[in-house]
Coordinates of all heavy atoms in Angstrom, one line a residue:
I12 N 13.3 -0.6 -7.9 CA 11.9 -1.1 -7.9 C 11.8 -2.3 -8.8 O 12.2 -2.3 -9.9 CB 11.0 0.1 -8.4 CG1 11.1 1.2 -7.5 CG2 9.6 -0.4 -8.5 CD1 10.4 2.5 -7.9
D13 N 11.2 -3.3 -8.2 CA 11.1 -4.6 -8.9 C 9.7 -5.1 -9.0 O 9.0 -5.4 -8.0 CB 11.9 -5.6 -8.1 CG 12.0 -7.0 -8.7 OD1 11.3 -7.2 -9.7 OD2 12.8 -7.8 -8.3
S14 N 9.1 -5.1 -10.2 CA 7.7 -5.5 -10.4 C 7.5 -7.0 -10.2 O 6.3 -7.4 -10.1 CB 7.3 -5.0 -11.8 OG 8.1 -5.7 -12.7
S15 N 8.5 -7.8 -10.1 CA 8.4 -9.2 -9.9 C 8.2 -9.6 -8.4 O 8.0 -10.8 -8.2 CB 9.5 -9.9 -10.6 OG 10.7 -9.7 -9.8
I16 N 8.4 -8.7 -7.5 CA 8.3 -9.1 -6.1 C 6.8 -9.4 -5.8 O 5.9 -8.6 -6.0 CB 8.8 -7.9 -5.2 CG1 10.2 -7.7 -5.4 CG2 8.5 -8.2 -3.7 CD1 10.8 -6.4 -4.7
P17 N 6.6 -10.6 -5.2 CA 5.2 -11.1 -5.0 C 4.6 -10.4 -3.7 O 5.2 -10.6 -2.6 CB 5.3 -12.6 -4.8 CG 6.7 -12.8 -4.4 CD 7.6 -11.7 -4.9
V18 N 3.6 -9.6 -3.9 CA 2.8 -9.1 -2.8 C 1.4 -8.8 -3.3 O 1.3 -8.2 -4.4 CB 3.5 -7.9 -2.1 CG1 3.7 -6.7 -3.1 CG2 2.8 -7.4 -0.9
E19 N 0.4 -9.2 -2.5 CA -1.0 -9.0 -2.9 C -1.7 -8.1 -1.9 O -1.3 -8.1 -0.7 CB -1.7 -10.3 -3.1 CG -1.1 -11.1 -4.2 CD -1.8 -12.5 -4.4 OE1 -2.9 -12.6 -3.9 OE2 -1.1 -13.4 -4.9
L20 N -2.7 -7.4 -2.3 CA -3.6 -6.6 -1.4 C -5.0 -7.2 -1.4 O -5.5 -7.5 -2.5 CB -3.6 -5.2 -2.0 CG -2.4 -4.5 -2.5 CD1 -2.8 -3.2 -3.2 CD2 -1.4 -4.3 -1.4
H21 N -5.6 -7.2 -0.2 CA -6.9 -7.7 -0.2 C -7.7 -6.9 0.9 O -7.1 -6.7 2.0 CB -7.0 -9.2 0.2 CG -6.3 -10.1 -0.7 ND1 -6.9 -10.4 -1.9 CD2 -5.1 -10.7 -0.7 CE1 -6.1 -11.2 -2.6 NE2 -5.0 -11.4 -1.9
P22 N -8.9 -6.4 0.7 CA -9.6 -6.4 -0.6 C -9.2 -5.2 -1.4 O -8.7 -4.2 -0.8 CB -11.0 -6.3 -0.2 CG -11.0 -5.5 1.1 CD -9.8 -5.9 1.8
N23 N -9.3 -5.2 -2.7 CA -9.0 -4.1 -3.6 C -10.0 -4.2 -4.7 O -10.0 -5.1 -5.5 CB -7.6 -4.2 -4.1 CG -7.2 -3.0 -4.8 OD1 -7.8 -1.9 -4.8 ND2 -6.1 -3.1 -5.6
P24 N -11.0 -3.2 -4.8 CA -11.1 -2.0 -4.0 C -11.4 -2.2 -2.5 O -11.9 -3.3 -2.2 CB -12.2 -1.2 -4.7 CG -12.7 -2.1 -5.8 CD -12.0 -3.3 -5.8
T25 N -11.2 -1.2 -1.7 CA -11.3 -1.3 -0.3 C -12.2 -0.1 0.2 O -12.2 1.0 -0.3 CB -10.0 -1.3 0.4 OG1 -10.2 -1.4 1.8 CG2 -9.2 0.0 0.2
S26 N -12.8 -0.3 1.3 CA -13.5 0.8 2.0 C -12.7 1.3 3.2 O -13.0 2.2 3.8 CB -14.9 0.3 2.5 OG -14.7 -0.8 3.3
G27 N -11.5 0.7 3.4 CA -10.6 1.2 4.4 C -9.5 0.3 4.8 O -8.3 0.7 4.7
I28 N -9.8 -0.9 5.2 CA -8.7 -1.8 5.7 C -8.2 -2.7 4.6 O -9.0 -3.4 4.0 CB -9.1 -2.7 6.9 CG1 -9.7 -1.8 8.1 CG2 -8.0 -3.6 7.4 CD1 -8.7 -0.9 8.7
I29 N -6.9 -2.7 4.4 CA -6.2 -3.6 3.4 C -5.2 -4.5 4.1 O -4.5 -4.0 5.0 CB -5.5 -2.7 2.4 CG1 -6.5 -2.1 1.4 CG2 -4.5 -3.6 1.6 CD1 -6.0 -1.8 0.1
T30 N -5.2 -5.7 3.8 CA -4.2 -6.6 4.3 C -3.2 -7.0 3.2 O -3.7 -7.4 2.1 CB -4.9 -7.9 4.9 OG1 -5.8 -7.5 5.9 CG2 -3.8 -8.9 5.5
L31 N -1.9 -6.9 3.5 CA -0.9 -7.3 2.5 C -0.6 -8.8 2.7 O -0.7 -9.3 3.8 CB 0.4 -6.5 2.7 CG 0.2 -5.0 2.5 CD1 1.5 -4.3 2.7 CD2 -0.4 -4.6 1.2
S32 N -0.3 -9.5 1.6 CA 0.0 -10.9 1.7 C 1.3 -11.2 2.3 O 1.6 -12.4 2.6 CB 0.0 -11.5 0.3 OG 1.0 -10.9 -0.5
R33 N 2.1 -10.2 2.6 CA 3.4 -10.4 3.2 C 3.4 -9.8 4.6 O 2.9 -8.7 4.8 CB 4.5 -9.7 2.4 CG 4.6 -10.1 0.9 CD 5.6 -11.3 0.7 NE 6.9 -11.0 1.2 CZ 7.9 -10.7 0.4 NH1 7.7 -10.6 -0.9 NH2 9.1 -10.5 0.9
T34 N 4.1 -10.4 5.6 CA 4.2 -9.8 6.9 C 5.6 -9.2 7.2 O 5.8 -8.6 8.2 CB 4.0 -10.9 8.0 OG1 4.9 -12.0 7.8 CG2 2.5 -11.5 7.9
D35 N 6.5 -9.3 6.2 CA 7.8 -8.7 6.4 C 7.9 -7.3 5.8 O 9.0 -6.9 5.3 CB 8.9 -9.7 5.9 CG 8.7 -10.0 4.4 OD1 7.6 -9.7 3.8 OD2 9.6 -10.6 3.8
V36 N 6.8 -6.6 5.8 CA 6.8 -5.2 5.2 C 7.6 -4.3 6.1 O 7.4 -4.2 7.3 CB 5.3 -4.8 5.1 CG1 5.3 -3.3 4.6 CG2 4.6 -5.7 4.2
Q37 N 8.5 -3.6 5.5 CA 9.3 -2.6 6.3 C 8.7 -1.2 6.3 O 8.7 -0.5 7.3 CB 10.7 -2.5 5.7 CG 11.5 -3.8 5.8 CD 12.8 -3.9 5.1 OE1 13.0 -3.1 4.1 NE2 13.6 -4.8 5.4
R38 N 8.1 -0.8 5.1 CA 7.5 0.5 5.0 C 6.5 0.5 3.8 O 6.8 -0.2 2.9 CB 8.7 1.5 4.8 CG 8.2 2.9 4.5 CD 9.5 3.8 4.3 NE 9.1 5.0 3.7 CZ 9.5 6.2 4.2 NH1 10.3 6.3 5.2 NH2 9.1 7.3 3.6
V39 N 5.5 1.3 4.0 CA 4.5 1.5 2.9 C 4.3 3.0 2.8 O 3.9 3.7 3.8 CB 3.2 0.8 3.2 CG1 2.2 1.2 2.0 CG2 3.3 -0.7 3.3
D40 N 4.6 3.5 1.6 CA 4.3 4.9 1.3 C 3.0 4.9 0.5 O 2.9 4.2 -0.5 CB 5.4 5.6 0.4 CG 6.7 5.7 1.2 OD1 7.5 4.7 1.2 OD2 6.9 6.7 1.8
V41 N 2.0 5.7 0.9 CA 0.7 5.9 0.2 C 0.8 7.2 -0.6 O 1.0 8.2 0.0 CB -0.5 5.9 1.2 CG1 -1.8 6.0 0.4 CG2 -0.5 4.6 2.0
I42 N 0.7 7.1 -1.9 CA 0.9 8.2 -2.8 C -0.4 8.5 -3.5 O -1.1 7.5 -4.1 CB 2.0 7.8 -3.8 CG1 3.3 7.5 -3.0 CG2 2.2 9.0 -4.8 CD1 4.4 6.8 -3.8
D43 N -0.8 9.7 -3.6 CA -2.1 10.1 -4.2 C -1.9 10.2 -5.7 O -0.9 10.0 -6.3 CB -2.7 11.3 -3.6 CG -1.9 12.6 -3.8 OD1 -1.0 12.6 -4.7 OD2 -2.2 13.6 -3.2
A44 N -3.0 10.5 -6.4 CA -3.1 10.6 -7.8 C -2.1 11.6 -8.4 O -1.7 11.5 -9.6 CB -4.5 10.8 -8.3
V45 N -1.7 12.6 -7.7 CA -0.8 13.6 -8.2 C 0.6 13.4 -7.9 O 1.5 14.2 -8.2 CB -1.3 15.1 -7.8 CG1 -2.6 15.4 -8.5 CG2 -1.3 15.3 -6.4
G46 N 0.9 12.3 -7.2 CA 2.2 11.9 -6.9 C 2.8 12.4 -5.5 O 3.9 12.2 -5.2
K47 N 1.9 12.9 -4.7 CA 2.2 13.3 -3.3 C 2.1 12.2 -2.3 O 1.1 11.5 -2.3 CB 1.3 14.5 -2.9 CG 1.7 15.1 -1.6 CD 0.7 16.2 -1.2 CE 1.0 16.7 0.2 NZ -0.1 17.6 0.6
T48 N 3.2 12.0 -1.5 CA 3.1 11.0 -0.4 C 2.2 11.6 0.7 O 2.5 12.6 1.2 CB 4.5 10.7 0.1 OG1 5.3 10.2 -1.0 CG2 4.5 9.7 1.2
I49 N 1.1 10.9 1.0 CA 0.2 11.4 2.0 C 0.2 10.6 3.2 O -0.4 11.0 4.2 CB -1.2 11.5 1.4 CG1 -1.6 10.1 0.8 CG2 -1.3 12.5 0.3 CD1 -3.1 10.0 0.4
M50 N 0.8 9.4 3.3 CA 0.9 8.6 4.5 C 2.1 7.7 4.4 O 2.4 7.2 3.3 CB -0.4 7.8 4.5 CG -0.6 7.0 5.8 SD -2.1 5.9 5.7 CE -3.4 7.1 5.6
V51 N 2.8 7.5 5.5 CA 3.9 6.6 5.6 C 3.6 5.6 6.8 O 3.4 6.1 7.9 CB 5.2 7.3 5.8 CG1 6.3 6.3 6.0 CG2 5.5 8.2 4.6
L52 N 3.6 4.3 6.5 CA 3.4 3.3 7.6 C 4.6 2.4 7.6 O 5.1 2.0 6.6 CB 2.1 2.5 7.2 CG 0.9 3.3 7.0 CD1 -0.2 2.5 6.2 CD2 0.3 3.8 8.3
E53 N 5.1 2.2 8.8 CA 6.3 1.3 9.0 C 5.9 0.1 9.8 O 5.2 0.1 10.7 CB 7.4 2.1 9.7 CG 7.8 3.3 8.9 CD 9.2 3.9 9.3 OE1 9.8 3.3 10.2 OE2 9.6 4.9 8.7
N54 N 6.5 -1.0 9.3 CA 6.4 -2.4 9.9 C 4.9 -2.8 10.1 O 4.6 -3.3 11.1 CB 7.1 -2.4 11.3 CG 8.6 -2.0 11.1 OD1 9.3 -2.6 10.2 ND2 9.1 -1.1 11.9
K55 N 4.1 -2.5 9.1 CA 2.7 -2.9 9.1 C 2.3 -3.7 7.9 O 2.7 -3.2 6.8 CB 1.8 -1.7 9.3 CG 2.0 -0.9 10.6 CD 0.9 0.1 10.8 CE 1.1 0.9 12.1 NZ 1.0 0.2 13.3
H56 N 1.5 -4.7 8.0 CA 1.0 -5.4 6.8 C -0.5 -5.3 6.8 O -1.1 -5.8 5.8 CB 1.5 -6.9 6.8 CG 0.8 -7.8 7.8 ND1 1.3 -7.8 9.1 CD2 -0.2 -8.6 7.7 CE1 0.5 -8.7 9.8 NE2 -0.4 -9.2 8.9
I57 N -1.1 -4.7 7.8 CA -2.5 -4.4 7.8 C -2.6 -2.8 7.8 O -2.1 -2.2 8.7 CB -3.3 -5.0 9.0 CG1 -3.2 -6.5 8.9 CG2 -4.7 -4.5 9.0 CD1 -3.8 -7.2 10.1
L58 N -3.2 -2.3 6.7 CA -3.2 -0.9 6.5 C -4.6 -0.3 6.7 O -5.5 -0.8 6.1 CB -2.7 -0.5 5.1 CG -1.4 -1.3 4.6 CD1 -1.1 -0.9 3.2 CD2 -0.2 -0.9 5.6
D59 N -4.7 0.8 7.4 CA -6.0 1.5 7.6 C -6.0 2.7 6.7 O -5.4 3.7 7.0 CB -6.2 1.9 9.0 CG -7.6 2.5 9.3 OD1 -8.3 2.7 8.3 OD2 -7.9 2.8 10.4
L60 N -6.7 2.6 5.5 CA -6.8 3.7 4.6 C -8.2 4.4 4.7 O -8.6 5.1 3.8 CB -6.6 3.1 3.2 CG -5.4 2.3 2.9 CD1 -5.3 1.9 1.5 CD2 -4.1 3.1 3.3
S61 N -8.9 4.1 5.8 CA -10.3 4.6 5.9 C -10.4 6.2 6.0 O -11.4 6.7 5.7 CB -11.0 4.0 7.1 OG -10.3 4.4 8.3
K62 N -9.3 6.8 6.3 CA -9.3 8.3 6.4 C -9.1 9.0 5.1 O -9.2 10.2 4.9 CB -8.3 8.8 7.4 CG -8.7 8.4 8.9 CD -7.8 9.0 9.9 CE -8.4 8.7 11.3 NZ -7.4 8.1 12.2
L63 N -8.7 8.2 4.1 CA -8.4 8.7 2.7 C -9.7 9.0 2.0 O -10.7 8.2 2.2 CB -7.6 7.8 1.9 CG -6.2 7.4 2.5 CD1 -5.5 6.5 1.6 CD2 -5.4 8.6 2.8
T64 N -9.7 9.9 1.1 CA -10.9 10.2 0.3 C -11.0 9.1 -0.8 O -10.0 8.4 -1.1 CB -10.8 11.6 -0.4 OG1 -9.6 11.7 -1.1 CG2 -10.9 12.7 0.7
K65 N -12.1 9.0 -1.4 CA -12.3 8.0 -2.5 C -11.4 8.3 -3.6 O -11.2 9.5 -4.0 CB -13.8 7.9 -2.9 CG -14.7 7.4 -1.9 CD -16.1 7.5 -2.4 CE -17.1 7.0 -1.3 NZ -18.5 7.1 -1.7
G66 N -10.8 7.3 -4.2 CA -10.0 7.5 -5.4 C -8.9 6.4 -5.5 O -8.9 5.4 -4.9
Y67 N -8.0 6.7 -6.4 CA -6.9 5.8 -6.8 C -5.6 6.2 -6.0 O -5.3 7.4 -6.0 CB -6.6 5.8 -8.3 CG -7.7 5.2 -9.1 CD1 -8.8 6.0 -9.5 CD2 -7.7 3.8 -9.4 CE1 -9.8 5.4 -10.3 CE2 -8.7 3.3 -10.2 CZ -9.8 4.1 -10.6 OH -10.8 3.6 -11.3
Y68 N -4.9 5.2 -5.5 CA -3.7 5.5 -4.7 C -2.6 4.4 -5.2 O -2.9 3.3 -5.6 CB -3.9 5.4 -3.2 CG -4.8 6.4 -2.7 CD1 -6.2 6.2 -2.6 CD2 -4.3 7.7 -2.3 CE1 -7.1 7.2 -2.2 CE2 -5.2 8.7 -1.9 CZ -6.6 8.4 -1.8 OH -7.4 9.4 -1.4
T69 N -1.4 4.8 -5.0 CA -0.2 3.9 -5.3 C 0.4 3.6 -4.0 O 0.6 4.5 -3.1 CB 0.8 4.6 -6.2 OG1 0.1 5.0 -7.5 CG2 2.0 3.7 -6.5
L70 N 0.7 2.3 -3.8 CA 1.4 1.9 -2.6 C 2.8 1.6 -3.0 O 3.0 0.7 -3.9 CB 0.7 0.7 -1.9 CG -0.7 0.9 -1.5 CD1 -1.2 -0.4 -0.8 CD2 -0.9 2.0 -0.6
R71 N 3.8 2.2 -2.3 CA 5.2 1.9 -2.5 C 5.6 1.0 -1.3 O 5.8 1.6 -0.3 CB 6.0 3.2 -2.6 CG 7.5 3.0 -3.0 CD 8.1 4.4 -3.2 NE 9.4 4.3 -3.7 CZ 10.5 4.2 -2.9 NH1 10.4 4.2 -1.6 NH2 11.7 4.1 -3.5
I72 N 5.7 -0.3 -1.5 CA 5.9 -1.2 -0.5 C 7.4 -1.6 -0.4 O 7.9 -2.3 -1.3 CB 5.0 -2.4 -0.7 CG1 3.5 -2.0 -0.8 CG2 5.2 -3.4 0.5 CD1 2.6 -3.0 -1.5
T73 N 8.0 -1.3 0.7 CA 9.4 -1.7 0.9 C 9.5 -3.0 1.6 O 9.0 -3.1 2.7 CB 10.2 -0.6 1.7 OG1 10.0 0.7 1.0 CG2 11.7 -0.9 1.8
L74 N 10.2 -4.0 1.0 CA 10.3 -5.3 1.5 C 11.8 -5.6 1.6 O 12.6 -4.9 1.0 CB 9.6 -6.3 0.6 CG 8.1 -6.1 0.5 CD1 7.6 -6.8 -0.8 CD2 7.4 -6.7 1.7
P75 N 12.2 -6.7 2.3 CA 13.7 -7.0 2.4 C 14.4 -7.1 1.1 O 15.5 -6.7 0.9 CB 13.7 -8.3 3.2 CG 12.4 -8.3 4.0 CD 11.4 -7.6 3.1
E76 N 13.7 -7.6 0.0 CA 14.4 -7.8 -1.3 C 14.2 -6.7 -2.3 O 14.7 -6.7 -3.4 CB 13.9 -9.1 -1.9 CG 12.5 -9.2 -2.4 CD 11.5 -9.7 -1.3 OE1 11.7 -9.4 -0.1 OE2 10.6 -10.4 -1.7
G77 N 13.5 -5.6 -1.8 CA 13.3 -4.5 -2.8 C 12.0 -3.8 -2.6 O 11.3 -4.0 -1.5
I78 N 11.6 -3.0 -3.6 CA 10.4 -2.2 -3.5 C 9.4 -2.7 -4.5 O 9.7 -2.9 -5.7 CB 10.7 -0.7 -3.7 CG1 11.6 -0.2 -2.6 CG2 9.5 0.1 -3.9 CD1 12.2 1.2 -2.9
A79 N 8.2 -2.9 -4.1 CA 7.1 -3.3 -4.9 C 6.1 -2.1 -5.0 O 5.8 -1.4 -4.0 CB 6.4 -4.5 -4.4
I80 N 5.5 -1.9 -6.2 CA 4.5 -0.9 -6.4 C 3.2 -1.5 -6.7 O 3.1 -2.4 -7.6 CB 4.9 0.1 -7.6 CG1 6.3 0.7 -7.4 CG2 3.9 1.1 -7.9 CD1 6.4 1.7 -6.3
R81 N 2.2 -1.1 -6.0 CA 0.8 -1.7 -6.2 C -0.2 -0.5 -6.2 O 0.0 0.5 -5.5 CB 0.4 -2.7 -5.2 CG 1.3 -3.9 -5.1 CD 1.1 -4.8 -6.4 NE 1.9 -6.0 -6.3 CZ 3.1 -6.1 -6.8 NH1 3.8 -5.1 -7.3 NH2 3.7 -7.3 -6.7
K82 N -1.3 -0.7 -7.0 CA -2.3 0.3 -7.1 C -3.5 -0.2 -6.2 O -3.7 -1.4 -6.0 CB -2.9 0.5 -8.5 CG -1.8 0.9 -9.5 CD -1.4 2.3 -9.4 CE -0.5 2.7 -10.5 NZ 0.0 4.0 -10.3
V83 N -4.2 0.8 -5.6 CA -5.3 0.4 -4.7 C -6.4 1.5 -5.0 O -6.1 2.6 -5.3 CB -4.9 0.4 -3.2 CG1 -4.5 1.7 -2.7 CG2 -6.0 -0.2 -2.4
I84 N -7.6 1.0 -4.9 CA -8.8 1.9 -5.1 C -9.5 2.0 -3.7 O -9.9 1.0 -3.1 CB -9.8 1.3 -6.1 CG1 -9.1 1.2 -7.5 CG2 -11.0 2.2 -6.2 CD1 -9.9 0.4 -8.5
R85 N -9.7 3.2 -3.3 CA -10.4 3.5 -2.0 C -11.8 3.9 -2.5 O -12.0 4.9 -3.1 CB -9.7 4.6 -1.2 CG -10.5 5.2 -0.1 CD -10.7 4.3 1.1 NE -11.3 5.0 2.2 CZ -12.6 5.1 2.4 NH1 -13.4 4.5 1.6 NH2 -13.1 5.8 3.4
K86 N -12.8 3.0 -2.1 CA -14.2 3.2 -2.6 C -15.0 3.9 -1.5 O -14.7 4.0 -0.4 CB -14.8 2.0 -3.1 CG -15.0 0.9 -2.0 CD -15.7 -0.3 -2.5 CE -15.8 -1.3 -1.4 NZ -16.5 -2.5 -1.7

């Protein structure tokens, strides 16, 4: 896991749709506040989180050069 990998999320907080600044995303694991993986998305840089309940989530973003971790708020 490399915290220096550049990837941004917009908008954050979100009401549902998030766009990642990178298009070469291989996989995104959406992890809830207790550490459970609740969604896995492959080969997508536009994420639909609208079915999630309000709260804080961690995105584990797999890119060609490694894994980036980002926090997102679902409002």
Side-chain angles (χ1 to χ4, degrees):
I12 297 176
D13 185 349
S14 60
S15 68
I16 295 174
V18 62
E19 296 177 23
L20 319 170
H21 298 285
N23 188 14
T25 182
S26 56
I28 304 294
I29 286 208
T30 302
L31 302 180
S32 62
R33 303 269 304 258
T34 57
D35 58 348
V36 176
Q37 296 169 340
R38 175 181 166 129
V39 177
D40 294 85
V41 181
I42 302 163
D43 68 11
V45 295
K47 180 181 176 191
T48 299
I49 54 171
M50 186 185 297
V51 175
L52 304 161
E53 297 198 3
N54 302 313
K55 294 193 184 295
H56 72 280
I57 298 174
L58 314 177
D59 183 358
L60 306 181
S61 60
K62 293 186 172 130
L63 301 180
T64 58
K65 294 178 182 178
Y67 292 88
Y68 295 90
T69 300
L70 302 183
R71 185 176 189 267
I72 305 162
T73 304
L74 297 158
E76 68 270 34
I78 295 171
I80 302 292
R81 296 293 184 270
K82 303 286 186 188
V83 66
I84 300 169
R85 167 71 171 90
K86 63 179 180 179

